C-alpha cells in the first residue's frame, strides 16, 4: 500500500538516519540538553555538537545555548506515513496506490514523471521534506525550506488523451480549498488558473504536467506546494504577496502537517478519480464561488503589447475572461501572461465590459 523511501535514486538525497532522528527529537521546539540527546541517539555529546553543521547543510537552523542545550529555531513536525494513513478517509485509502516520503528530492513532480515513464503505476503519492529543484508555473523556483511546508505530487492515469484534462488544475484547486475548509481554514480563494490565496496573498500553488498519447491513454502529475511556515531568510526570495498557515493559525500550524497532508489527499484523490467522468463542469460553479480575482484589475501581455482591464470570470472551457473597456467583443488567442496587479497564464477571452 505505502512505503517510506530512503534509498538514493532519481534525485533523492536522504539524510543520515541519526541526523533525521535528531531533528525528530528537537521537533517540539524546546531546549534539550546535549546529554539527553546523546543518550537518545546512542552517540557522544561531542558528536551531537558536530551535527550542528550537518543540520545547517540541510537548511535546518539549530540554536545552542550554554546551560540550556539545543533547540530548533522553530518547531517542526516531520512527515510520518503512519500519521498520514490514520487520517485518510476510506475513499482516499481505496484510491491510493502507495506513498513515498523522501527527505530531500530534486522535484516530486519530476520523480513521478520518471515513474510514469518506466511503469504503469497510478495513484502514487510523492512527498518530500525538501525539494532542491522544485518549480512553479513558468519555471519559477518554489521556495522550499526543510520540514516546514507541504511538497506533494500525485501520479494519476486517464483513459482519455490530454485534451480531456482541460480544466484539471481548476478542479484540483477546488479540492485544495475543500481540504483547507475541512480543517477550519476560512477565507481561502482561487486565482486562475492554479493558485490558492488567503486574503489576497498566495498560500499554495499547483503545477500539472501531462504526458501520453494524444488520443489516450495519458497520465498527469499534479504537484502542490503549500506554505505551512516560511522562515524569514527563505521568504526574502519571494517576489509576490504570500502567506503561510503559521500566520493564519498562529502556533498550531506546524503540528498540523501530517493531518493536513492526509486531508489534502482525502479531497485530491477522489477529484482525480472523478474528473474524467464528471469533467470540469462538475467543479466549475464551485470554482467560481472561490474566485478571488473577479472584477480585479489586471494587465494582459501579448508579446510587447500590454492591455489593461479587469478579470471577468472563467468560462466552461477553463479560459479566463478579461474585460477591456475600449475593446471590441471577440475571441482572443491564448495570452502568454497577465500581470500588473495580478499575474496569469493560459488562454483568456476578452469582451466589451
Amino acid at each position: 500500500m505505502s512505503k517510506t523511501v530512503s534509498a538514493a535514486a532519481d534525485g533523492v538525497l536522504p539524510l543520515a538516519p541519526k541526523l533525521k532522528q535528531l531533528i525528530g527529537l528537537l521537533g517540539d521546539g524546546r531546549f534539550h540538553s546535549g546529554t539527553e540527546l546523546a543518550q537518545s541517539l546512542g552517540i557522544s555529546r561531542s558528536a551531537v555538537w558536530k551535527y550542528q553543521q550537518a543540520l545547517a547543510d540541510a537548511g535546518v537552523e539549530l540554536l545552542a545555548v550554554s546551560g540550556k542545550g539545543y533547540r530548533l529555531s522553530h518547531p517542526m513536525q516531520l512527515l510520518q506515513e503512519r500519521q498520514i494513513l490514520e487520517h485518510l478517509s476510506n475513499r482516499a485509502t481505496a484510491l491510493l496506490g502507495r506513498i513515498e516520503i523522501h527527505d530531500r528530492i530534486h522535484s516530486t513532480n519530476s520523480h513521478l514523471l520518471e515513474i510514469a515513464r518506466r511503469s504503469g503505476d497510478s495513484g502514487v503519492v510523492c512527498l518530500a521534506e525538501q525539494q532542491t529543484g522544485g518549480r512553479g508555473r513558468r519555471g519559477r523556483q518554489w521556495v522550499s525550506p526543510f520540514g516546514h511546508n507541504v511538497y506533494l505530487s500525485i501520479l494519476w492515469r486517464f483513459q482519455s488523451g490530454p485534451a480531456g484534462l482541460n480544466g484539471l488544475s481548476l478542479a484540483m484547486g477546488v479540492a485544495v480549498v475543500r481540504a483547507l475548509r475541512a480543517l477550519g481554514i476560512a477565507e481561502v480563494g482561487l486565482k486562475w488558473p492554479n493558485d490558492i490565496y488567503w486574503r489576497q496573498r498566495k498560500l499554495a500553488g499547483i503545477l500539472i504536467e501531462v504526458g501520453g498519447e494524444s488520443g489516450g491513454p495519458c497520465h498527469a502529475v499534479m504537484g502542490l506546494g503549500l506554505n505551512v511556515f516560511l522562515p524569514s531568510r527563505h521568504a526574502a526570495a519571494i517576489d509576490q504577496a504570500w502567506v503561510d498557515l503559521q500566520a493564519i493559525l498562529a502556533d498550531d500550524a506546524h503540528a498540523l502537517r501530517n493531518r493536513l497532508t492526509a486531508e489534502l489527499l482525502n479531497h485530491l484523490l477522489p477529484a482525480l478519480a472523478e474528473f474524467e467522468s464528471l469533467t470540469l463542469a462538475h467543479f466549475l460553479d464551485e470554482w467560481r464561488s472561490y474566485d478571488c480575482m473577479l472584477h480585479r484589475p489586471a494587465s494582459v501581455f501579448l508579446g510587447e503589447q500590454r492591455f489593461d482591464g479587469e478579470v471577468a470570470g472563467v468560462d466552461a472551457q477553463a479560459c479566463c475572461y478579461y474585460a477591456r473597456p475600449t475593446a471590441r467583443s471577440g475571441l482572443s488567442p491564448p495570452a502568454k501572461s497577465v500581470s500588473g496587479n495580478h499575474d496569469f497564464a493560459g488562454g483568456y477571452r476578452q469582451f466589451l465590459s
Side-chain angles (χ1 to χ4, degrees):
M1 169 65 72
S2 54
K3 62 180 180 180
T4 301
V5 176
S6 58
D10 297 333
V12 176
L13 303 168
L15 295 182
K18 292 288 187 184
L19 185 60
K20 190 170 182 180
Q21 187 180 354
L22 176 60
I23 296 172
L25 292 170
L26 294 168
D28 58 9
R30 300 174 182 175
F31 278 105
H32 296 262
S33 70
T35 300
E36 173 194 346
L37 294 172
Q39 290 175 346
S40 297
L41 295 170
I43 59 177
S44 66
R45 289 187 61 184
S46 61
V48 172
W49 182 83
K50 291 177 181 178
Y51 270 126
Q52 288 186 82
Q53 185 57 51
L55 287 171
D57 291 342
V60 179
E61 186 176 356
L62 179 67
L63 305 178
V65 178
S66 178
K68 289 188 174 182
Y70 302 89
R71 73 171 178 88
L72 298 182
S73 60
H74 190 275
M76 181 184 301
Q77 184 185 78
L78 294 179
L79 295 169
Q80 297 290 335
E81 175 188 321
R82 177 182 55 81
Q83 292 186 36
I84 295 170
L85 294 176
E86 284 177 355
H87 292 288
L88 279 188
S89 67
N90 291 337
R91 173 68 169 148
T93 300
L95 294 169
L96 176 66
R98 69 175 184 272
I99 295 177
E100 296 187 4
I101 300 177
H102 299 276
D103 299 332
R104 292 177 294 174
I105 195 169
H106 178 72
S107 162
T108 55
N109 261 34
S110 296
H111 179 70
L112 290 188
L113 286 170
E114 176 60 23
I115 289 177
R117 185 190 66 80
R118 66 175 188 244
S119 77
D121 292 351
S122 186
V124 183
V125 173
C126 180
L127 298 161
E129 298 290 357
Q130 184 178 40
Q131 292 187 113
T132 59
R135 62 197 187 281
R137 185 173 52 82
R138 297 166 64 195
R140 288 172 173 162
Q141 184 177 9
W142 188 270
V143 176
S144 177
F146 183 94
H148 285 306
N149 300 321
V150 172
Y151 318 115
L152 178 157
S153 294
I154 305 173
L155 167 61
W156 199 264
R157 295 190 180 274
F158 300 87
Q159 291 305 306
S160 64
L165 304 186
N166 184 46
L168 180 60
S169 66
L170 275 64
M172 295 298 96
V174 168
V176 172
V177 173
R178 289 173 179 173
L180 293 172
R181 291 192 167 198
L183 292 173
I185 303 168
E187 301 183 74
V188 182
L190 294 171
K191 172 190 167 185
W192 182 88
N194 51 15
D195 288 339
I196 294 87
Y197 271 47
W198 184 81
R199 295 184 181 178
Q200 299 303 314
R201 290 176 285 171
K202 186 171 180 176
L203 175 63
I206 293 169
L207 176 66
I208 294 180
E209 298 178 270
V210 179
E213 301 298 326
S214 59
C218 73
H219 62 265
V221 171
M222 190 289 305
L224 172 71
L226 191 149
N227 301 328
V228 178
F229 172 68
L230 279 176
S232 56
R233 69 183 186 279
H234 294 281
I238 301 175
D239 61 356
Q240 60 183 304
W242 62 271
V243 70
D244 57 23
L245 292 185
Q246 175 72 15
I248 299 171
L249 300 175
D251 292 337
D252 294 334
H254 75 277
L256 278 176
R257 195 159 168 253
N258 283 289
R259 184 183 169 196
L260 169 64
T261 299
E263 198 61 44
L264 288 165
L265 293 176
N266 285 341
H267 294 271
L268 288 167
L269 286 168
L272 283 166
E274 296 165 357
F275 186 82
E276 197 162 21
S277 60
L278 297 178
T279 72
L280 175 63
H282 176 76
F283 300 90
L284 193 54
D285 285 345
E286 188 174 356
W287 192 97
R288 288 169 174 157
S289 73
Y290 302 142
D291 187 353
C292 64
M293 297 300 170
L294 188 64
H295 304 313
R296 289 184 173 271
S299 298
V300 176
F301 289 87
L302 291 173
E304 299 299 319
Q305 291 184 294
R306 169 175 171 163
F307 305 95
D308 295 324
E310 69 176 31
V311 178
V314 173
D315 69 8
Q317 286 74 48
C319 290
C320 183
Y321 276 105
Y322 168 73
R324 290 174 54 203
T326 59
R328 298 181 65 182
S329 300
L331 178 65
S332 74
K336 289 185 178 178
S337 65
V338 181
S339 56
N341 290 335
H342 301 296
D343 181 23
F344 293 99
Y348 77 95
R349 291 180 178 176
Q350 65 182 42
F351 66 95
L352 190 63
S353 64

